Amino acid sequence: MSPYRIPFNRPSLSGKEFDYIREAFDRGQLSGNGMFTQRCHAWLKEHLGCGKVLLTHSCTAALEFCALLLDLQPGDEVIMPSFTFVSTANAFAVRGATPVFVDIRPDTLNLDETRIEAAISARTRAIVVVHYGGIGCEMDAIVDIARRHRLVVIEDAAHGMLATYRGRELGSIGHLAALSFHETKNITSGEGGALLINDDRYRERADTLWQKGTNRSAFARGETEKYTWVDLGSSFQPSEVTAAFLAAQLEGAESVTARRRAIWERYHAALAPLEAAGRVRRPVVPPHCVHNAHLYSLLLPTHEARDAFLAHLNARGIYAVFHYVPLHASPAGQRFSRSHGALPVTTTVGETLVRLPLWAGMTEEDVADVVRTAYAACGVPVDALPAAAGRAAL
Ligand SMILES: *Cc1c(COP(=O)(O)O)cnc(C)c1O
Protein backbone atom coordinates (compact mmCIF):
# COMPACT_ATOMS: atom_id res chain seq x y z
CA MET A 1 0.00 0.00 0.00
CA SER A 2 1.16 3.49 -0.79
CA PRO A 3 1.88 5.56 2.30
CA TYR A 4 0.17 8.45 0.51
CA ARG A 5 -3.40 9.47 1.13
CA ILE A 6 -3.41 11.34 -2.14
CA PRO A 7 -1.18 9.70 -4.75
CA PHE A 8 0.57 11.76 -7.39
CA ASN A 9 -1.19 10.03 -10.25
CA ARG A 10 -3.80 7.35 -10.70
CA PRO A 11 -4.74 6.12 -14.20
CA SER A 12 -8.45 5.98 -15.02
CA LEU A 13 -10.47 3.74 -17.31
CA SER A 14 -12.84 5.03 -19.96
CA GLY A 15 -14.84 1.78 -19.83
CA LYS A 16 -14.09 -0.51 -22.76
CA GLU A 17 -10.41 -1.26 -22.07
CA PHE A 18 -10.83 -4.89 -20.99
CA ASP A 19 -13.57 -5.64 -23.53
CA TYR A 20 -11.23 -4.50 -26.30
CA ILE A 21 -8.31 -6.58 -25.00
CA ARG A 22 -10.62 -9.61 -24.98
CA GLU A 23 -11.72 -8.73 -28.50
CA ALA A 24 -8.10 -8.55 -29.67
CA PHE A 25 -7.55 -12.03 -28.26
CA ASP A 26 -10.72 -13.36 -29.86
CA ARG A 27 -9.70 -11.95 -33.22
CA GLY A 28 -6.57 -14.07 -33.01
CA GLN A 29 -3.96 -11.32 -33.48
CA LEU A 30 -1.96 -10.15 -30.51
CA SER A 31 1.13 -8.93 -32.38
CA GLY A 32 1.22 -5.37 -33.69
CA ASN A 33 -0.46 -3.56 -36.60
CA GLY A 34 -3.86 -5.21 -36.27
CA MET A 35 -7.35 -3.75 -36.14
CA PHE A 36 -6.87 -1.83 -32.88
CA THR A 37 -3.59 -0.30 -34.03
CA GLN A 38 -5.37 0.90 -37.19
CA ARG A 39 -8.23 2.26 -35.10
CA CYS A 40 -5.79 4.24 -32.94
CA HIS A 41 -4.04 5.57 -36.05
CA ALA A 42 -7.36 6.76 -37.47
CA TRP A 43 -8.45 8.38 -34.19
CA LEU A 44 -5.17 10.24 -33.74
CA LYS A 45 -5.05 11.39 -37.36
CA GLU A 46 -8.58 12.72 -37.16
CA HIS A 47 -8.35 14.38 -33.74
CA LEU A 48 -4.83 15.76 -34.02
CA GLY A 49 -4.92 16.72 -37.69
CA CYS A 50 -1.50 15.23 -38.30
CA GLY A 51 -0.24 13.69 -41.54
CA LYS A 52 0.47 10.05 -40.71
CA VAL A 53 0.53 8.19 -37.42
CA LEU A 54 2.54 5.14 -36.39
CA LEU A 55 2.03 3.76 -32.91
CA THR A 56 5.17 2.91 -30.98
CA HIS A 57 5.75 1.17 -27.66
CA SER A 58 6.83 4.46 -26.04
CA CYS A 59 7.56 8.12 -26.68
CA THR A 60 11.22 7.25 -26.18
CA ALA A 61 10.93 4.82 -29.10
CA ALA A 62 9.15 7.46 -31.22
CA LEU A 63 12.02 9.90 -30.58
CA GLU A 64 14.61 7.23 -31.44
CA PHE A 65 12.55 6.60 -34.57
CA CYS A 66 12.94 10.31 -35.46
CA ALA A 67 16.72 10.10 -35.07
CA LEU A 68 16.84 7.03 -37.32
CA LEU A 69 14.55 8.63 -39.88
CA LEU A 70 16.80 11.70 -40.06
CA ASP A 71 19.90 9.50 -40.47
CA LEU A 72 21.62 11.38 -37.70
CA GLN A 73 25.35 10.74 -37.58
CA PRO A 74 27.95 11.19 -34.85
CA GLY A 75 28.78 14.88 -34.70
CA ASP A 76 25.34 16.04 -35.82
CA GLU A 77 23.73 18.44 -33.37
CA VAL A 78 20.17 18.70 -32.11
CA ILE A 79 19.01 21.81 -30.24
CA MET A 80 16.67 21.21 -27.30
CA PRO A 81 15.90 22.27 -23.74
CA SER A 82 17.82 20.82 -20.80
CA PHE A 83 14.64 21.14 -18.69
CA THR A 84 12.99 17.94 -19.95
CA PHE A 85 12.79 14.21 -19.46
CA VAL A 86 15.92 12.15 -20.22
CA SER A 87 14.50 10.58 -23.39
CA THR A 88 14.34 13.88 -25.28
CA ALA A 89 18.15 13.93 -25.35
CA ASN A 90 18.96 10.23 -24.98
CA ALA A 91 17.08 9.27 -28.14
CA PHE A 92 19.49 11.38 -30.20
CA ALA A 93 22.60 10.59 -28.15
CA VAL A 94 22.16 6.85 -28.80
CA ARG A 95 22.65 7.59 -32.52
CA GLY A 96 25.84 9.49 -31.71
CA ALA A 97 24.30 12.94 -32.23
CA THR A 98 25.03 15.70 -29.73
CA PRO A 99 22.16 17.33 -27.82
CA VAL A 100 22.82 21.09 -27.59
CA PHE A 101 20.94 22.66 -24.72
CA VAL A 102 19.40 26.12 -24.81
CA ASP A 103 17.72 27.86 -21.89
CA ILE A 104 13.95 27.97 -21.34
CA ARG A 105 11.53 30.90 -21.03
CA PRO A 106 10.81 31.94 -17.45
CA ASP A 107 7.03 32.13 -18.10
CA THR A 108 6.01 28.92 -19.90
CA LEU A 109 9.21 26.99 -19.06
CA ASN A 110 9.39 26.08 -22.77
CA LEU A 111 12.46 26.36 -25.02
CA ASP A 112 13.35 30.07 -25.32
CA GLU A 113 12.91 30.67 -29.03
CA THR A 114 15.05 33.84 -28.87
CA ARG A 115 18.08 31.75 -27.89
CA ILE A 116 17.86 29.10 -30.60
CA GLU A 117 19.49 30.91 -33.49
CA ALA A 118 22.74 31.64 -31.63
CA ALA A 119 23.11 27.91 -30.91
CA ILE A 120 22.90 26.85 -34.56
CA SER A 121 26.16 25.55 -36.09
CA ALA A 122 27.13 23.92 -39.40
CA ARG A 123 26.35 20.54 -37.75
CA THR A 124 22.86 21.42 -36.49
CA ARG A 125 20.20 19.14 -37.99
CA ALA A 126 17.10 19.58 -35.88
CA ILE A 127 15.31 21.51 -33.15
CA VAL A 128 13.41 19.46 -30.58
CA VAL A 129 10.74 21.37 -28.68
CA VAL A 130 9.01 20.12 -25.54
CA HIS A 131 5.53 21.53 -24.84
CA TYR A 132 5.93 21.62 -21.08
CA GLY A 133 2.72 20.77 -19.25
CA GLY A 134 0.81 20.76 -22.55
CA ILE A 135 1.40 24.49 -23.05
CA GLY A 136 2.58 25.14 -26.59
CA CYS A 137 6.04 26.43 -27.45
CA GLU A 138 6.29 29.55 -29.64
CA MET A 139 5.95 27.46 -32.79
CA ASP A 140 5.59 30.28 -35.35
CA ALA A 141 9.00 31.68 -34.42
CA ILE A 142 10.58 28.22 -34.13
CA VAL A 143 9.24 26.97 -37.46
CA ASP A 144 10.49 30.19 -39.09
CA ILE A 145 14.01 29.72 -37.68
CA ALA A 146 14.02 26.09 -38.85
CA ARG A 147 12.89 27.06 -42.34
CA ARG A 148 15.59 29.71 -42.69
CA HIS A 149 18.32 27.31 -41.53
CA ARG A 150 16.89 24.18 -43.20
CA LEU A 151 16.44 22.34 -39.93
CA VAL A 152 13.88 19.74 -39.00
CA VAL A 153 11.43 20.57 -36.18
CA ILE A 154 10.56 17.66 -33.90
CA GLU A 155 7.86 18.14 -31.28
CA ASP A 156 8.33 16.11 -28.12
CA ALA A 157 4.59 16.24 -27.49
CA ALA A 158 4.69 13.73 -24.61
CA HIS A 159 2.69 16.27 -22.56
CA GLY A 160 0.81 17.75 -25.49
CA MET A 161 -2.10 15.47 -26.38
CA LEU A 162 -5.26 17.51 -27.21
CA ALA A 163 -3.70 20.91 -26.51
CA THR A 164 -3.44 23.64 -29.13
CA TYR A 165 -1.17 26.50 -30.21
CA ARG A 166 -2.99 29.21 -32.22
CA GLY A 167 -5.75 26.70 -32.91
CA ARG A 168 -3.44 23.95 -34.15
CA GLU A 169 -3.06 20.69 -32.27
CA LEU A 170 0.32 20.13 -30.64
CA GLY A 171 2.02 17.35 -32.58
CA SER A 172 0.66 18.56 -35.93
CA ILE A 173 3.01 21.53 -36.36
CA GLY A 174 6.58 20.19 -36.58
CA HIS A 175 7.87 17.95 -39.38
CA LEU A 176 7.75 15.08 -36.88
CA ALA A 177 6.27 14.67 -33.40
CA ALA A 178 6.27 12.11 -30.61
CA LEU A 179 3.43 11.32 -28.20
CA SER A 180 3.59 9.37 -24.95
CA PHE A 181 0.96 7.06 -23.50
CA HIS A 182 3.02 6.27 -20.42
CA GLU A 183 1.03 5.69 -17.23
CA THR A 184 1.76 9.24 -16.02
CA LYS A 185 0.41 10.95 -19.16
CA ASN A 186 -3.17 12.14 -19.79
CA ILE A 187 -4.05 9.15 -21.99
CA THR A 188 -2.30 5.89 -21.25
CA SER A 189 -1.70 2.32 -22.30
CA GLY A 190 0.77 1.73 -19.48
CA GLU A 191 3.69 2.13 -21.83
CA GLY A 192 3.01 3.50 -25.29
CA GLY A 193 3.62 6.26 -27.77
CA ALA A 194 3.23 7.40 -31.34
CA LEU A 195 5.27 8.98 -34.09
CA LEU A 196 3.37 11.68 -36.00
CA ILE A 197 4.65 12.46 -39.48
CA ASN A 198 3.55 15.81 -40.87
CA ASP A 199 6.11 16.08 -43.69
CA ASP A 200 5.40 13.78 -46.63
CA ARG A 201 9.12 13.35 -47.32
CA TYR A 202 9.29 10.90 -44.41
CA ARG A 203 6.09 8.93 -44.96
CA GLU A 204 7.25 6.01 -47.01
CA ARG A 205 10.56 5.44 -45.27
CA ALA A 206 8.88 5.72 -41.86
CA ASP A 207 6.69 2.81 -42.82
CA THR A 208 9.70 0.68 -43.74
CA LEU A 209 11.51 1.49 -40.49
CA TRP A 210 8.33 0.68 -38.54
CA GLN A 211 8.21 -2.69 -40.32
CA LYS A 212 11.66 -3.54 -38.89
CA GLY A 213 13.44 -2.41 -42.06
CA THR A 214 11.41 -4.61 -44.39
CA ASN A 215 9.17 -3.90 -47.37
CA ARG A 216 6.32 -5.69 -45.62
CA SER A 217 3.76 -2.94 -46.34
CA ALA A 218 4.51 -2.87 -50.07
CA PHE A 219 4.45 -6.68 -50.08
CA ALA A 220 1.06 -6.72 -48.36
CA ARG A 221 -0.27 -4.32 -51.02
CA GLY A 222 1.02 -6.67 -53.74
CA GLU A 223 3.54 -4.10 -55.00
CA THR A 224 6.54 -6.38 -54.66
CA GLU A 225 7.05 -10.11 -54.98
CA LYS A 226 9.55 -10.56 -52.19
CA TYR A 227 9.19 -9.71 -48.53
CA THR A 228 12.72 -8.75 -47.59
CA TRP A 229 15.10 -6.52 -45.63
CA VAL A 230 15.43 -3.18 -47.47
CA ASP A 231 16.56 -0.54 -44.93
CA LEU A 232 17.40 0.03 -41.29
CA GLY A 233 14.56 -0.32 -38.82
CA SER A 234 13.63 -1.54 -35.40
CA SER A 235 10.83 -3.10 -33.41
CA PHE A 236 8.72 -0.05 -32.66
CA GLN A 237 5.18 -1.47 -32.79
CA PRO A 238 3.11 -2.05 -29.66
CA SER A 239 1.17 -5.29 -29.46
CA GLU A 240 -2.57 -5.37 -30.13
CA VAL A 241 -3.09 -5.85 -26.37
CA THR A 242 -1.60 -2.41 -25.83
CA ALA A 243 -3.39 -0.91 -28.83
CA ALA A 244 -6.74 -2.32 -27.66
CA PHE A 245 -6.33 -0.68 -24.26
CA LEU A 246 -5.28 2.56 -25.95
CA ALA A 247 -8.24 2.51 -28.36
CA ALA A 248 -10.58 2.54 -25.36
CA GLN A 249 -8.59 5.30 -23.68
CA LEU A 250 -8.81 7.43 -26.81
CA GLU A 251 -12.60 7.14 -26.76
CA GLY A 252 -12.49 8.79 -23.35
CA ALA A 253 -9.72 11.27 -24.16
CA GLU A 254 -11.88 14.36 -24.45
CA SER A 255 -13.78 13.75 -21.22
CA VAL A 256 -10.57 12.94 -19.31
CA THR A 257 -9.04 16.18 -20.60
CA ALA A 258 -12.12 18.18 -19.58
CA ARG A 259 -12.05 16.62 -16.12
CA ARG A 260 -8.32 17.36 -15.71
CA ARG A 261 -8.92 20.94 -16.80
CA ALA A 262 -11.63 21.40 -14.16
CA ILE A 263 -9.21 20.23 -11.47
CA TRP A 264 -6.44 22.43 -12.89
CA GLU A 265 -8.76 25.46 -12.86
CA ARG A 266 -9.74 24.70 -9.29
CA TYR A 267 -6.08 24.64 -8.23
CA HIS A 268 -5.41 27.81 -10.20
CA ALA A 269 -8.23 29.79 -8.59
CA ALA A 270 -7.57 28.48 -5.10
CA LEU A 271 -3.84 29.18 -5.22
CA ALA A 272 -4.13 32.76 -6.56
CA PRO A 273 -3.88 34.29 -3.06
CA LEU A 274 -0.64 32.37 -2.40
CA GLU A 275 0.76 33.89 -5.55
CA ALA A 276 -0.49 37.35 -4.57
CA ALA A 277 1.29 36.89 -1.22
CA GLY A 278 4.53 36.13 -3.09
CA ARG A 279 4.76 32.56 -1.79
CA VAL A 280 4.43 30.69 -5.11
CA ARG A 281 4.24 31.34 -8.81
CA ARG A 282 1.45 29.59 -10.69
CA PRO A 283 1.66 28.34 -14.32
CA VAL A 284 1.56 30.94 -17.10
CA VAL A 285 -0.59 30.11 -20.14
CA PRO A 286 -0.22 32.47 -23.13
CA PRO A 287 -3.59 33.59 -24.54
CA HIS A 288 -2.95 31.81 -27.85
CA CYS A 289 -2.44 28.43 -26.17
CA VAL A 290 -5.16 26.05 -24.97
CA HIS A 291 -3.54 23.57 -22.60
CA ASN A 292 -4.66 20.07 -21.64
CA ALA A 293 -4.03 20.22 -17.88
CA HIS A 294 -1.25 17.67 -18.15
CA LEU A 295 0.27 18.94 -14.95
CA TYR A 296 -0.08 21.62 -12.29
CA SER A 297 3.24 23.09 -11.22
CA LEU A 298 4.24 25.78 -8.73
CA LEU A 299 7.52 27.64 -8.50
CA LEU A 300 8.70 28.33 -4.95
CA PRO A 301 10.95 31.32 -4.20
CA THR A 302 14.06 29.27 -3.33
CA HIS A 303 15.45 25.75 -3.44
CA GLU A 304 15.11 25.50 0.36
CA ALA A 305 11.49 26.71 0.24
CA ARG A 306 10.75 24.10 -2.45
CA ASP A 307 12.23 21.23 -0.46
CA ALA A 308 10.41 22.35 2.70
CA PHE A 309 7.11 22.64 0.78
CA LEU A 310 7.51 19.12 -0.63
CA ALA A 311 8.49 17.69 2.76
CA HIS A 312 5.42 19.31 4.34
CA LEU A 313 3.02 17.81 1.75
CA ASN A 314 4.68 14.40 1.68
CA ALA A 315 4.67 14.13 5.49
CA ARG A 316 0.91 14.72 5.37
CA GLY A 317 0.29 11.94 2.89
CA ILE A 318 0.15 14.06 -0.26
CA TYR A 319 2.50 12.88 -2.96
CA ALA A 320 3.83 15.98 -4.70
CA VAL A 321 7.07 15.70 -6.67
CA PHE A 322 9.82 17.80 -8.26
CA HIS A 323 11.42 17.58 -11.70
CA TYR A 324 13.46 17.88 -13.86
CA VAL A 325 17.04 17.53 -12.76
CA PRO A 326 18.41 19.59 -15.69
CA LEU A 327 19.99 17.26 -18.24
CA HIS A 328 23.08 19.44 -18.73
CA ALA A 329 23.97 18.94 -15.05
CA SER A 330 23.44 15.15 -15.12
CA PRO A 331 26.37 12.70 -15.45
CA ALA A 332 25.27 11.45 -18.89
CA GLY A 333 24.41 14.97 -19.99
CA GLN A 334 27.97 16.03 -19.28
CA ARG A 335 29.34 13.12 -21.33
CA PHE A 336 27.03 13.22 -24.32
CA SER A 337 25.85 16.79 -24.77
CA ARG A 338 26.81 20.42 -24.52
CA SER A 339 25.10 23.66 -23.59
CA HIS A 340 24.94 26.83 -25.58
CA GLY A 341 25.47 29.68 -23.16
CA ALA A 342 24.46 29.67 -19.52
CA LEU A 343 21.14 28.09 -18.54
CA PRO A 344 20.11 30.14 -15.48
CA VAL A 345 16.35 29.72 -15.89
CA THR A 346 16.70 25.95 -16.32
CA THR A 347 18.85 25.70 -13.19
CA THR A 348 16.52 27.82 -11.07
CA VAL A 349 13.34 26.07 -12.23
CA GLY A 350 14.94 22.66 -11.62
CA GLU A 351 15.56 23.74 -8.02
CA THR A 352 12.25 25.43 -7.27
CA LEU A 353 9.47 23.58 -9.12
CA VAL A 354 6.82 21.38 -7.51
CA ARG A 355 4.13 19.30 -9.23
CA LEU A 356 0.89 18.78 -7.35
CA PRO A 357 -1.14 15.56 -7.64
CA LEU A 358 -3.41 15.71 -10.69
CA TRP A 359 -5.45 12.90 -12.19
CA ALA A 360 -8.95 12.67 -13.60
CA GLY A 361 -10.44 10.73 -10.68
CA MET A 362 -9.49 13.24 -7.97
CA THR A 363 -12.46 14.26 -5.85
CA GLU A 364 -13.40 17.75 -4.80
CA GLU A 365 -12.23 16.88 -1.29
CA ASP A 366 -8.84 15.62 -2.59
CA VAL A 367 -8.25 18.94 -4.35
CA ALA A 368 -9.37 20.97 -1.30
CA ASP A 369 -7.07 18.85 0.86
CA VAL A 370 -4.04 19.54 -1.36
CA VAL A 371 -4.89 23.26 -1.43
CA ARG A 372 -5.28 23.52 2.37
CA THR A 373 -2.01 21.66 2.88
CA ALA A 374 -0.25 23.95 0.40
CA TYR A 375 -1.48 26.98 2.36
CA ALA A 376 -0.22 25.46 5.60
CA ALA A 377 3.14 24.64 3.97
CA CYS A 378 3.48 28.32 3.04
CA GLY A 379 2.37 29.48 6.51
CA VAL A 380 -0.62 31.33 5.06
CA PRO A 381 -3.97 31.02 6.91
CA VAL A 382 -6.55 29.11 4.91
CA ASP A 383 -9.14 31.86 5.40
CA ALA A 384 -7.20 33.79 2.74
CA LEU A 385 -8.67 31.22 0.33
CA PRO A 386 -11.36 32.90 -1.74
CA ALA A 387 -14.81 31.40 -1.26
CA ALA A 388 -15.29 31.46 -5.03
CA ALA A 389 -12.40 29.02 -5.46
CA GLY A 390 -14.27 26.36 -3.53
CA ARG A 391 -17.29 26.74 -5.76
CA ALA A 392 -15.57 26.43 -9.16
CA ALA A 393 -17.32 23.59 -10.93
CA LEU A 394 -15.65 20.23 -10.53
C1 LIG B 1 7.20 10.97 -20.48
C2 LIG B 1 8.11 11.74 -21.39
C3 LIG B 1 8.90 11.13 -22.37
C4 LIG B 1 9.05 9.64 -22.47
O1 LIG B 1 7.87 8.98 -22.64
P1 LIG B 1 7.83 7.38 -22.62
O2 LIG B 1 6.54 7.08 -23.31
O3 LIG B 1 7.85 6.97 -21.18
O4 LIG B 1 9.00 6.86 -23.36
C5 LIG B 1 9.63 11.92 -23.23
N1 LIG B 1 9.60 13.25 -23.14
C6 LIG B 1 8.88 13.88 -22.20
C7 LIG B 1 8.88 15.38 -22.16
C8 LIG B 1 8.14 13.15 -21.28
O5 LIG B 1 7.44 13.79 -20.31
Side-chain angles (χ1 to χ4, degrees):
M1 269 301 281
S2 161
Y4 294 101
R5 196 151 45 82
I6 302 185
F8 176 66
N9 176 60
R10 187 177 278 161
S12 52
L13 295 172
S14 85
K16 298 261 183 62
E17 281 84 351
F18 301 113
D19 294 346
Y20 286 178
I21 289 174
R22 174 94 222 171
E23 196 180 328
F25 178 82
D26 290 344
R27 294 176 71 90
Q29 182 180 351
L30 294 180
S31 62
N33 200 18
M35 186 271 280
F36 284 107
T37 296
Q38 296 305 326
R39 195 187 285 185
C40 292
H41 286 175
W43 192 99
L44 290 165
K45 198 164 144 51
E46 182 190 336
H47 289 80
L48 304 186
C50 48
K52 179 185 171 79
V53 182
L54 292 170
L55 288 192
T56 58
H57 49 78
S58 66
C59 179
T60 302
L63 291 165
E64 289 185 21
F65 198 154
C66 291
L68 199 53
L69 206 44
L70 296 187
D71 269 326
L72 292 187
Q73 303 296 320
D76 286 345
E77 296 180 351
V78 181
I79 293 172
M80 64 179 70
S82 164
F83 183 68
T84 180
F85 184 65
V86 172
S87 296
T88 314
N90 186 68
F92 299 93
V94 292
R95 310 279 333 150
T98 305
V100 175
F101 299 123
V102 166
D103 211 1
I104 52 172
R105 296 171 56 109
D107 54 0
T108 57
L109 315 185
N110 282 333
L111 192 61
D112 185 340
E113 70 283 359
T114 67
R115 296 178 186 275
I116 293 172
E117 215 148 5
I120 295 173
S121 78
R123 300 302 307 263
T124 307
R125 298 285 313 281
I127 302 169
V128 182
V129 301
V130 177
H131 304 295
Y132 182 70
I135 297 169
C137 294
E138 287 307 316
M139 294 309 290
D140 282 351
I142 291 165
V143 166
D144 182 58
I145 292 166
R147 191 181 42 73
R148 286 191 279 107
H149 295 271
R150 298 176 177 278
L151 305 177
V152 176
V153 176
I154 301 168
E155 298 176 74
D156 178 341
H159 299 185
M161 176 86 176
L162 296 181
T164 60
Y165 164 82
R166 298 192 193 281
R168 300 168 70 188
E169 294 289 334
L170 302 186
S172 73
I173 306 170
H175 298 91
L176 299 168
L179 298 178
S180 176
F181 303 115
H182 183 262
E183 174 180 78
T184 52
K185 303 306 197 296
N186 287 18
I187 304 305
T188 181
S189 52
E191 303 279 354
L195 173 68
L196 311 181
I197 301 149
N198 301 313
D199 183 327
D200 286 346
R201 273 182 301 172
Y202 301 111
R203 279 179 93 103
E204 200 178 319
R205 185 150 183 261
D207 207 73
T208 303
L209 270 52
W210 192 66
Q211 299 283 15
K212 304 185 178 81
T214 71
N215 59 356
R216 190 187 183 108
S217 298
F219 181 69
R221 290 192 300 265
E223 293 166 14
T224 173
E225 281 176 14
K226 279 188 306 211
Y227 164 45
T228 186
W229 184 22
V230 295
D231 199 342
L232 296 176
S234 191
S235 176
F236 289 123
Q237 301 178 11
S239 79
E240 279 287 284
V241 179
T242 298
F245 192 97
L246 182 62
Q249 286 272 305
L250 292 174
E251 289 175 4
E254 274 143 341
S255 68
V256 160
T257 306
R259 176 76 195 154
R260 294 182 75 101
R261 279 188 65 98
I263 294 163
W264 195 102
E265 294 297 346
R266 174 71 74 94
Y267 273 143
H268 207 58
L271 296 167
L274 281 192
E275 184 174 75
R279 304 307 171 92
V280 299
R281 202 207 76 186
R282 298 176 304 156
V284 176
V285 184
H288 50 275
C289 292
V290 177
H291 70 91
N292 58 3
H294 173 56
L295 56 83
Y296 197 88
S297 64
L298 293 173
L299 293 176
L300 276 289
T302 63
H303 191 177
E304 295 69 36
R306 190 276 300 273
D307 287 355
F309 183 95
L310 273 182
H312 184 99
L313 266 65
N314 292 347
R316 283 153 190 81
I318 294 172
Y319 195 14
V321 303
F322 67 86
H323 79 177
Y324 293 106
V325 174
L327 297 182
H328 73 278
S330 67
Q334 302 208 329
R335 272 172 70 196
F336 300 118
S337 53
R338 68 177 175 84
S339 301
H340 186 83
L343 308 177
V345 183
T346 298
T347 301
T348 304
V349 170
E351 289 175 346
T352 59
L353 184 135
V354 170
R355 286 178 66 179
L356 299 180
L358 174 54
W359 77 95
M362 281 182 92
T363 65
E364 208 155 311
E365 184 44 40
D366 290 335
V367 178
D369 195 349
V370 176
V371 168
R372 279 194 302 270
T373 312
Y375 271 69
C378 294
V380 173
V382 179
D383 53 14
L385 216 164
R391 288 199 303 272
L394 243 202

